[in-house]
Amino acid sequence: MADKSAKLRINDQDYELPILSPTQGPDVLDIRKLYGQADVFTYDPGFTSTASCDSTITFIDGDKGELWYRGYPIEQLASQSNYLEVCYLLLYGELPTTAQMEDFRTRVTRHTMVHEQMHNFFRGFRRDAHPMATMVGVVGAMSAFYHDSTDIGDSWQREVASIRLIAKLPTIAAMAYKYSIGQPFVYPDNELDYASNFLNMCFSVPAEKYKVDPALARAMDRIFTLHADHEQNASTSTVRLAGSSGANPFACIAAGIACLWGPAHGGANQACLEMLREIGTVDRIPEFIARAKDKEDPFRLMGFGHRVYKNFDPRAKVMKESADEVLDLLGVGDNPTLQVAKELERIALEDEYFVSKKLYPNVDFYSGIILEAMGFPTSMFTPIFALSRTVGWIAQWKEMIGDPQNKIGRPRQLYVGSDKRDYVDFSKR
Ligand code: ACO
């Protein structure tokens, strides 16, 4: 795919760098042979200008505010498809036929329960542990429970591991929640669809049946769909890097969950709602906008800004519509948090600082409002993101493992430490 090239001149020596042309997006300079030929590295902390792999899964145009899964725009998938179909699309590259969908649904549904011994494993955690802490541990521990799907060289085992992860993550997230509030675990109900089953495992108790509202299940499903994949973000790159060493899929997904937890990434939905609550009333917004602009103050408006989207986050648009629908449905449209969110968005979108830096609301700005209205505590926001993103992580991991060019990820560095020096004895320091 390299029909163009660029020239790089270092100390009067020219080097030819192939230019790779993607099917979409900017051209990519191929520097793989640069170190061998010119004895230099490239320097790009945060990978702002570096493609770490080629991929056929997800495309983002940050300037236009577009997101496609396997070529299909996110807006169409969010309104016309459903999460399980999107899982199939991400994993296998095409929309399923009716028979393929039924088969996939059956396979996922058959794997929703976790090994009974895992219940004891949960009980080892403190009740006040953050559900993300529990999930990192329990998902990592899946490799200790499902030995028959950890051989990454066996495509059948890779497939079984993928289905297990997609099927069991909602069960594990719901168990982490139930454990944290001291309620008994609720077993999956395979009569229910994927989103309804998750809501049921979170909100039903043995003493009282929980009737899943189809509109809420639809909103939940849409949240899953909107978070399903996002090309080479921090947690996905973590999964790929962990997987590049040959680590088993459960260990890799646990690594992805750990990375997602950070407030600059998946933890932003919790941080955003906490910020909206802290602002509390519309009249306090200017104070927080001023803080966000103050270079001396580390405060940032959570839910604003994105490394890739410099126009708007298309997921945020869909999420905003969902927020309006869900809050109306639940009769909490005048919710003070939503009022603060709407006014904050309006002010920030007109403010010179945010406009010039292209800081728009991201997906996390509205997702927290919906989840709170549904009855989830803030600590569950990031676990819900994690369970939604699991399919994306797996699709990317499978793509990497199946790539004959796959090699262990090993970035280099610009060393700026001390020169070589001799050890000094304690008595002489
Ligand atoms: N509030 C105020 N200022 C901001 C914000 C914000 N939310 N985000 C970026 N800026 C400013 C920075 O201070 C910086 O200003 P400067 O150029 O004067 O120094 C400029 O905008 C660029 O910011 P960077 O941090 O360099 O941008 P980067 O692409 O590295 O960061 C990130 C993207 C991490 C998402 C950032 O915008 C942020 O911290 N946002 C808040 C957290 C958040 O909502 N994260 C969720 C991301 S979406 C997701 O993971 C699903």
Side-chain angles (χ1 to χ4, degrees):
M1 45 176 174
D3 48 3
K4 295 185 271 180
S5 67
K7 268 204 175 60
L8 175 70
R9 170 159 286 206
I10 306 172
N11 299 332
D12 291 337
Q13 170 88 39
D14 282 339
Y15 298 93
E16 184 123 330
L17 300 175
I19 297 181
L20 309 177
S21 299
T23 49
Q24 293 288 332
D27 284 348
V28 174
L29 268 182
D30 182 351
I31 57 161
R32 277 175 292 182
K33 298 204 173 114
L34 187 62
Y35 173 55
Q37 290 171 348
D39 201 26
V40 291
F41 295 142
T42 55
Y43 180 63
D44 185 19
F47 303 111
T48 52
S49 298
T50 298
S52 60
C53 61
D54 49 56
S55 180
T56 60
I57 302 172
T58 292
F59 174 70
I60 301 173
D61 185 327
D63 293 324
K64 290 196 198 141
E66 286 187 345
L67 166 63
W68 310 342
Y69 295 161
R70 301 283 190 184
Y72 296 98
I74 190 66
E75 296 84 354
Q76 290 182 23
L77 294 171
S79 60
Q80 295 168 49
S81 181
N82 60 69
Y83 181 68
L84 266 195
E85 188 184 32
V86 164
C87 288
Y88 185 99
L89 175 67
L90 287 169
L91 286 174
Y92 307 113
E94 296 297 335
L95 290 170
T97 61
T98 311
Q100 287 167 332
M101 191 62 230
E102 257 337 287
D103 174 61
F104 182 67
R105 197 189 311 281
T106 306
R107 279 190 290 143
V108 170
T109 307
R110 291 256 166 87
H111 282 92
T112 48
M113 276 168 62
V114 296
H115 194 293
E116 197 64 14
Q117 185 75 9
M118 281 188 118
H119 291 221
N120 300 335
F121 191 76
F122 269 92
R123 293 194 172 96
F125 289 100
R126 280 173 59 136
R127 292 270 180 199
D128 58 358
H130 193 288
M132 280 298 274
T134 310
M135 279 179 74
V136 173
V138 173
V139 173
M142 283 175 79
S143 42
F145 286 91
Y146 302 102
H147 298 145
D148 59 346
S149 51
T150 53
D151 177 358
I152 64 155
D154 179 335
S155 60
W156 185 83
Q157 293 203 25
R158 293 204 297 270
E159 178 66 17
V160 175
S162 308
I163 298 289
R164 278 188 170 138
L165 280 158
I166 293 166
K168 293 184 201 309
L169 255 289
T171 313
I172 291 172
M175 287 172 80
Y177 172 51
K178 285 296 195 190
Y179 186 73
S180 73
I181 55 171
Q183 289 187 3
F185 298 135
V186 176
Y187 284 99
D189 180 346
N190 289 348
E191 299 273 295
L192 299 173
D193 62 70
Y194 194 87
S196 303
N197 179 43
F198 176 64
L199 290 170
N200 188 56
M201 287 188 292
C202 288
F203 297 124
S204 73
V205 287
E208 204 171 306
K209 272 203 171 241
Y210 172 76
K211 193 151 172 18
V212 184
D213 185 320
L216 290 189
R218 177 76 200 134
M220 187 81 257
D221 192 85
R222 192 172 287 174
I223 288 179
F224 294 161
T225 298
L226 292 175
H227 287 90
D229 193 46
H230 214 230
E231 53 117 306
Q232 309 311 320
N233 56 83
S235 56
T236 303
S237 299
T238 300
V239 170
R240 278 189 180 255
L241 198 56
S244 76
S245 74
N248 74 68
F250 305 112
C252 296
I253 301 304
I257 296 174
C259 177
L260 186 78
W261 195 0
H265 192 9
N269 51 15
Q270 172 169 353
C272 178
L273 201 88
E274 283 165 0
M275 176 194 76
L276 294 174
R277 283 198 197 129
E278 192 192 343
I279 297 175
T281 47
V282 167
D283 58 301
R284 293 191 65 209
I285 292 175
E287 179 196 324
F288 283 81
I289 296 261
R291 283 187 61 196
K293 292 197 241 178
D294 182 355
K295 285 252 162 268
E296 305 302 312
D297 190 332
F299 174 78
R300 284 186 168 200
L301 278 192
M302 300 314 287
F304 276 80
H306 196 275
R307 168 61 61 80
V308 182
Y309 295 120
K310 301 300 175 196
N311 183 325
F312 60 88
D313 181 339
R315 302 166 301 172
K317 264 190 169 177
V318 181
M319 204 63 96
K320 186 178 180 179
E321 284 167 24
S322 265
D324 286 335
E325 276 167 33
V326 168
L327 295 179
D328 275 354
L329 181 84
L330 296 171
V332 286
D334 56 353
N335 174 320
T337 317
L338 184 70
Q339 299 309 321
V340 172
K342 282 193 165 156
E343 187 59 8
L344 183 64
E345 183 195 28
R346 193 190 62 75
I347 295 175
L349 289 180
E350 287 171 2
D351 190 288
E352 169 55 20
Y353 174 91
F354 290 88
V355 172
S356 64
K357 292 187 189 303
K358 301 184 172 167
L359 298 170
Y360 294 87
N362 59 47
V363 66
D364 291 326
F365 190 65
Y366 283 103
S367 62
I369 295 168
I370 305 180
L371 293 173
E372 188 193 42
M374 283 178 168
F376 287 105
T378 48
S379 62
M380 275 305 285
F381 294 1
T382 317
I384 289 169
F385 190 162
L387 87 83
S388 321
R389 181 57 57 84
T390 295
V391 66
W393 291 329
I394 297 168
Q396 302 269 353
W397 171 82
K398 279 180 94 178
E399 182 177 63
M400 181 189 69
I401 300 292
D403 180 353
Q405 294 198 60
N406 173 37
K407 52 169 74 171
I408 187 165
R410 192 359 178 140
R412 304 305 295 255
Q413 63 170 6
L414 171 68
Y415 177 68
V416 291
S418 162
D419 209 346
K420 188 177 178 189
R421 46 186 171 165
D422 289 322
Y423 179 79
V424 181
D425 191 76
F426 264 117
S427 60
K428 299 206 174 105
R429 284 177 219 165

